[in-house]
Amino acid sequence: MKKEINFKINGISVVASSGETILTVARKNEIYIPTMCYISKTTPCASCRMCVVEASGMDGFVLSCNTPPVEGVEITTDSQALNHERVNIMKLYDVNHPLECGVCDKSGDCDLQNKTLEFNVERQNFSARDQLRPIKHWGLIDYEASLCIMCEKCVHVCNEVIGDDAIEVKFGGYNSIIIPKNSEALDCTFCGECIAVCPVGALTSSGFRYRANAWELERIPSTCAHCSAGCPLEYETRHASINGEDELYRVKNNFEFTSLCGAGRFGFDFENRASSDEVAFNKAIQALRSAKAIRFSSMITNEEAHILELLKAKLGVKLFNEDARKFASFMHSYSSISGKLHHSGSLDAIKQSDAVVIIGSRIATDNPGVRYALTTAAKHNGAKIVYMHPMEDALMQNVITQMMKHEVGTEEGVIALLANSLLSEASLDEDERAFFDELDLGYIYAETNIGEEEFSQMMKSFARASKRTLIIGNDIIAHERSSNIAKLAALIEKYSDFSIVVVPRDVNTLGVSLINSLDKDEDISNVVGYNAKGDFLISSLGSGDLAVAALNQQEGTFVSIDNRVLPTNVALAFDGYTLNDIAKAFDIVKDETIDYTKELNTNAGFKGIAFDDLENFLAPLGEDNRGYILDEVECASNGKIEELDDMPEFNGTIIYQCDPVLQFNNYTAKTTQLPKENFLRGSAQFAVAAKINDGDKVEISYGSTKITREFKLDNELKGTVALNPTFDISVDASRYRFEKSKIVRIV
């Protein structure tokens, strides 16, 4: 039980839990204390002193942001002395701050403007010599030091939430500035979170600079469409000219409680500009009438997935989506042990964890939302984080405490060893205990290339942990032994204090898996593709036989890894046809696509709530009031753990189908601001094994696929596995991402 502390703020009796500060308690009780440098999701910066208060029995002022209350203390948040102090602080902030608000991107949304007006600073009593401070251009981010007030928010969020630790303060009194850390140029993942938290116009988006004022833009609350984290964001739009169409200008987020990756912030212009083409529409109807199957991707709303399920029944066709089908199969196996349809963990569970195991994902690029949650756990809780993967990841080096590097393809053996360590003293039933007793540990240790001492080290580091999470990525879901791995993961959850988070690849893989009855994909003709390959292609990418709206042009819902049904809204209008129009042609009639929201499968946990009744906001203290959490669904728990299969061997040159930072798929590839580096990246060891050199043009062959790439030597990589991007090509998201390959230099 947390100790409660009783005290008063402005004569009002309040209660604090152990660990809370005066400021957090004040906010919880809707008592205003001004701040300039405070962010809820980081440790207090304590640089602005705006949050000072008076405390009974103490001389001078107290910083409310980092001071815990004591029993019986009386706090005053507003007095003549406090006002005088805050006015002087604002005057110091305003010293030689350029009054170029008319052209500053932050004007109208600037804390310095707001506080200057709030404290009625009408004249300046202080002055300082102007400094020459050239604007720094850091790629997607610009830094104007003359506007910087040194609040240090950007440094804290970069280190404590994002994990890049890419910037720092160069101290020098009035000459202090923000600089790249250990580098001449900014070396980071360009998430833009520093832009979001900057209270003035010092850090800005280079692509947005001088394009619009804050008050000219319309904000549309929505959900990011790039990965399964379900991050909240706001699209900001305005007409491009007096008589022009609306245009997306930028994306913002509620930086107090949420974060965005660079793809979410800068990769917003993937809309499909098209008008109604009646000829193409009629051809689509004819193609569907004669189709044997519809193949579709998981870049789709729940409502569209539901329409496809209705079309399947109406037309008697098969539905192909291997990504979602394999995810559903994985979760079915998980449910057969856990007795629950949905995994138990969430992003918040990760943030609150003090022990985490990650397996089957290069998580920093697969799902930045999970990476940020891990960074928060590491920086704020001192979480011990074990990273199990065949490849090390430099982006995770500031977060992980133990790397368990295993052989490619041996994930089933690794999860068996993990379960064996975690459940050694658990009260398993007879069959479950027999499974572990019969494990050939020597063989598994040898084949996975993980030593027994590594698991002993992990168990020792986890000894005092009380909130533990197991994160399972797409490499596990796509593994040929995924069914048994799912059962072993469920066994860990069932008999230990671990919660499990399963991370699907695409934005709505989870939703599709719950809505659609999917068939195993077959190599047949007469297939209509909906944002997927087919003989007739219905696409939102701007190519295809019939154009449809992209996800930033639709109303509907997704299901995130939190098992939360999240609304997305129309940022830009689409003048063409929709899947709902196609359904109407087959007498499946609803006025709008979102009329299907309340009809989503209640047997899978959907609640039958109409779209217009879904909330879409964060509460003042950060509570997520977007959509709803799926109801838990009980399942029969009659599954049995299978004997482990022989560990596969991956010899020679291997590629790992993994996108670079800021790229996820063909939609991010379409955007204008995101870098599009599509090199094959490998170590010096890989180059020797493949007999290639830095800068060589190479042909990569795996399975029946051949692609051409330029090879780039990457000194951060080790071993004979190279990274091959997929955002610019079409790759089945359900494939196991490690591929035995043949690399040939093109002369």
Side-chain angles (χ1 to χ4, degrees):
M1 294 290 291
K2 289 187 176 181
K3 179 183 176 183
E4 290 189 344
I5 301 160
N6 297 281
F7 68 109
K8 290 184 177 181
I9 303 179
N10 297 340
I12 301 170
S13 295
V14 295
V15 178
S17 298
S18 179
E20 289 187 314
T21 65
I22 295 169
L23 179 61
T24 55
V25 176
R27 288 187 169 187
K28 189 168 65 176
N29 288 275
E30 300 182 357
I31 300 170
Y32 175 66
I33 298 176
T35 63
M36 185 73 78
C37 71
Y38 184 78
I39 323 173
S40 299
K41 63 188 179 186
T42 70
T43 56
C45 302
S47 64
C48 75
R49 295 190 58 83
M50 288 293 291
C51 71
V52 289
V53 295
E54 295 173 339
S56 60
M58 295 186 65
D59 295 330
F61 300 132
V62 172
L63 288 177
S64 64
C65 68
N66 66 359
T67 304
V70 295
E71 186 69 28
V73 70
E74 296 190 9
I75 301 297
T76 301
T77 67
D78 192 16
S79 68
Q80 186 174 354
L82 285 169
N83 186 69
H84 180 74
E85 175 78 1
R86 290 166 181 160
V87 167
N88 282 335
I89 289 171
M90 288 311 305
K91 287 181 177 179
L92 287 170
Y93 269 136
D94 288 335
V95 168
N96 287 358
H97 189 93
L99 299 177
E100 299 169 350
C101 300
V103 295
C104 180
D105 285 343
K106 199 71 175 181
S107 183
D109 192 21
C110 172
D111 279 358
L112 193 69
Q113 278 183 337
N114 294 340
K115 294 295 190 300
T116 299
L117 292 170
E118 178 182 343
F119 292 102
N120 198 28
V121 179
E122 296 178 340
R123 65 177 186 171
Q124 182 57 270
N125 302 103
F126 310 120
S127 65
R129 180 176 295 176
D130 281 335
Q131 305 289 321
L132 178 60
R133 297 178 178 180
I135 297 174
K136 301 293 183 181
H137 300 288
W138 294 335
L140 295 170
I141 299 168
D142 286 346
Y143 174 58
E144 191 164 350
S146 64
L147 298 176
C148 183
I149 62 173
M150 298 308 297
C151 67
E152 302 181 37
K153 281 182 174 182
C154 55
V155 175
H156 278 251
V157 77
C158 185
N159 179 30
E160 296 180 29
V161 177
I162 305 304
D164 283 356
D165 198 18
I167 52 178
E168 63 182 349
V169 178
K170 181 182 178 182
F171 291 102
Y174 186 62
N175 295 317
S176 297
I177 57 171
I178 303 297
I179 61 170
K181 190 172 185 178
N182 303 322
S183 176
E184 288 296 319
L186 184 60
D187 182 15
C188 70
T189 57
F190 288 95
C191 65
E193 197 66 14
C194 57
I195 296 172
V197 302
C198 182
V200 291
L203 286 159
T204 56
S205 164
S206 58
F208 177 76
R209 193 174 177 83
Y210 301 142
R211 294 196 66 209
N213 293 116
W215 58 85
E216 298 175 304
L217 299 170
E218 180 183 358
R219 293 184 179 183
I220 297 99
S222 197
T223 300
C224 184
H226 292 322
C227 80
S228 55
C231 299
L233 53 75
E234 290 179 334
Y235 292 114
E236 294 201 326
T237 66
R238 193 190 73 168
H239 54 274
S241 60
I242 293 176
N243 296 313
E245 295 181 325
D246 279 356
E247 182 180 329
L248 273 169
Y249 275 67
R250 66 176 174 184
V251 160
K252 296 185 71 176
N253 63 307
N254 186 330
F255 62 81
E256 279 284 345
F257 308 107
T258 68
S259 302
L260 282 179
C261 74
R265 191 177 309 281
F266 302 114
F268 50 79
D269 54 334
F270 55 90
E271 72 275 3
N272 193 13
R273 299 284 187 178
S275 56
S276 297
D277 184 338
E278 189 174 351
V279 173
F281 179 77
N282 289 331
K283 287 181 179 179
I285 299 303
Q286 291 304 314
L288 283 164
R289 288 190 193 280
S290 60
K292 295 178 182 177
I294 301 171
R295 181 181 291 115
F296 67 105
S297 81
S298 299
M299 300 293 292
I300 190 172
T301 65
N302 292 319
E303 291 72 17
E304 289 180 297
H306 182 73
I307 291 172
L308 289 177
E309 189 70 12
L310 295 175
L311 284 171
K312 175 181 182 176
K314 186 78 173 182
L315 301 175
V317 297
K318 294 183 177 181
L319 276 186
F320 295 156
N321 182 322
E322 284 296 278
D323 166 50
R325 187 186 69 82
K326 286 193 174 181
F327 186 87
S329 177
F330 179 90
M331 294 306 296
H332 176 75
S333 296
Y334 159 86
S335 300
S336 72
I337 298 294
S338 70
K340 301 178 298 182
L341 183 61
H342 311 306
H343 63 250
S344 59
S346 65
L347 288 173
D348 276 343
I350 298 171
K351 290 176 184 177
Q352 296 166 17
S353 296
D354 49 14
V356 183
V357 177
I358 314 157
I359 183 170
S361 176
R362 194 170 174 87
I363 202 68
T365 48
D366 286 351
N367 198 299
V370 175
R371 180 200 177 194
Y372 303 158
L374 288 166
T375 304
T376 300
K379 300 293 184 178
H380 294 186
N381 307 334
K384 307 300 181 184
I385 298 176
V386 177
Y387 194 82
M388 296 177 167
H389 201 269
M391 302 182 72
E392 296 177 13
D393 187 353
L395 291 178
M396 297 299 294
Q397 64 185 0
N398 294 331
V399 172
I400 65 171
T401 54
Q402 185 180 355
M403 176 72 195
M404 285 196 188
K405 192 172 182 180
H406 62 81
E407 294 296 321
V408 174
T410 64
E411 286 85 354
E412 185 185 21
V414 175
I415 201 81
L417 292 174
L418 177 65
N420 184 64
S421 296
L422 296 175
L423 306 180
S424 60
E425 298 180 5
S427 300
L428 307 177
D429 68 28
E430 187 176 336
D431 289 342
E432 293 162 345
R433 179 52 63 195
F435 168 82
F436 291 106
D437 290 342
E438 293 168 9
L439 285 178
D440 186 346
L441 295 177
Y443 166 77
I444 302 173
Y445 283 128
E447 292 300 307
T448 61
N449 202 27
I450 297 180
E452 183 179 0
E453 70 282 357
E454 294 183 68
F455 282 97
S456 297
Q457 178 186 340
M458 179 196 72
M459 294 302 293
K460 185 177 181 181
S461 69
F462 285 3
R464 295 185 178 181
S466 59
K467 296 180 180 178
R468 315 182 197 204
T469 306
L470 172 61
I471 300 171
I472 294 174
N474 197 70
D475 298 344
I476 297 293
I477 298 163
H479 197 282
E480 63 178 11
R481 296 287 296 170
S482 63
S483 176
N484 206 40
I485 296 173
K487 292 174 183 176
L488 288 166
L491 206 65
I492 291 172
E493 182 186 53
K494 183 177 181 179
Y495 289 106
S496 75
D497 56 359
F498 272 80
S499 62
I500 289 182
V501 177
V502 185
V503 183
R505 182 179 172 96
D506 283 338
V507 62
N508 202 28
T509 302
L510 203 163
V512 173
S513 73
L514 298 172
I515 292 168
N516 295 109
S517 52
L518 299 166
D519 303 283
K520 184 175 175 58
D521 205 337
E522 302 166 351
D523 186 17
I524 58 176
S525 59
N526 293 334
V527 175
V528 172
Y530 189 76
N531 292 321
K533 65 180 181 179
D535 302 298
F536 187 95
L537 182 58
I538 302 171
S539 175
S540 59
L541 281 166
S543 60
D545 301 297
L546 176 67
V548 290
L551 289 178
N552 58 1
Q553 298 171 289
Q554 295 189 48
E555 282 185 314
T557 57
F558 309 132
V559 182
S560 73
I561 55 177
D562 287 346
N563 293 311
R564 183 179 285 273
V565 179
L566 298 169
T568 186
N569 290 304
V570 175
L572 292 175
F574 179 73
D575 296 328
Y577 290 100
T578 66
L579 188 58
N580 191 44
D581 294 324
I582 293 172
K584 288 177 182 178
F586 293 101
D587 297 321
I588 302 170
V589 180
K590 294 282 187 187
D591 289 339
E592 303 291 342
T593 302
I594 55 171
D595 291 335
Y596 289 105
T597 305
K598 62 185 177 183
E599 295 185 6
L600 297 176
N601 186 8
T602 54
N603 292 328
F606 292 96
K607 295 187 176 181
I609 299 174
F611 181 84
D612 289 337
D613 292 332
L614 297 176
E615 300 286 7
N616 193 8
F617 68 95
L618 298 181
L621 297 179
E623 298 90 346
D624 195 342
N625 290 313
R626 298 176 300 145
Y628 61 84
I629 298 288
L630 290 169
D631 287 334
E632 187 51 83
V633 178
E634 293 185 359
C635 305
S637 53
N638 52 9
K640 299 293 182 183
I641 307 295
E642 303 166 20
E643 183 180 348
L644 297 192
D645 200 2
D646 291 338
M647 301 292 117
E649 290 187 4
F650 281 71
N651 299 318
T653 52
I654 304 164
I655 60 170
Y656 183 52
Q657 309 278 30
C658 175
D659 284 322
V661 173
L662 305 186
Q663 289 290 349
F664 290 92
N665 48 47
N666 294 156
Y667 293 91
T668 52
K670 183 181 175 181
T671 61
T672 55
Q673 294 190 69
L674 301 183
K676 298 173 178 61
E677 295 185 352
N678 58 354
F679 308 114
L680 176 70
R681 292 188 175 275
S683 67
Q685 186 180 351
F686 179 89
V688 170
K691 298 179 181 179
I692 56 177
N693 298 304
D694 185 42
D696 282 351
K697 192 174 183 180
V698 299
E699 183 182 75
I700 308 166
S701 304
Y702 57 93
S704 60
T705 302
K706 287 186 178 181
I707 58 173
T708 300
R709 297 277 192 215
E710 181 183 340
F711 176 71
K712 285 288 185 182
L713 198 63
D714 192 327
N715 294 325
E716 292 181 340
L717 297 177
K718 301 174 184 178
T720 57
V721 181
L723 299 177
N724 181 52
T726 61
F727 68 92
D728 60 333
I729 57 177
S730 295
V731 173
D732 184 355
S734 68
R735 286 181 68 92
Y736 183 62
R737 294 192 293 172
F738 288 97
E739 301 270 7
K740 298 177 184 179
S741 63
K742 181 181 179 182
I743 312 291
V744 178
R745 184 166 62 91
I746 300 174
V747 180

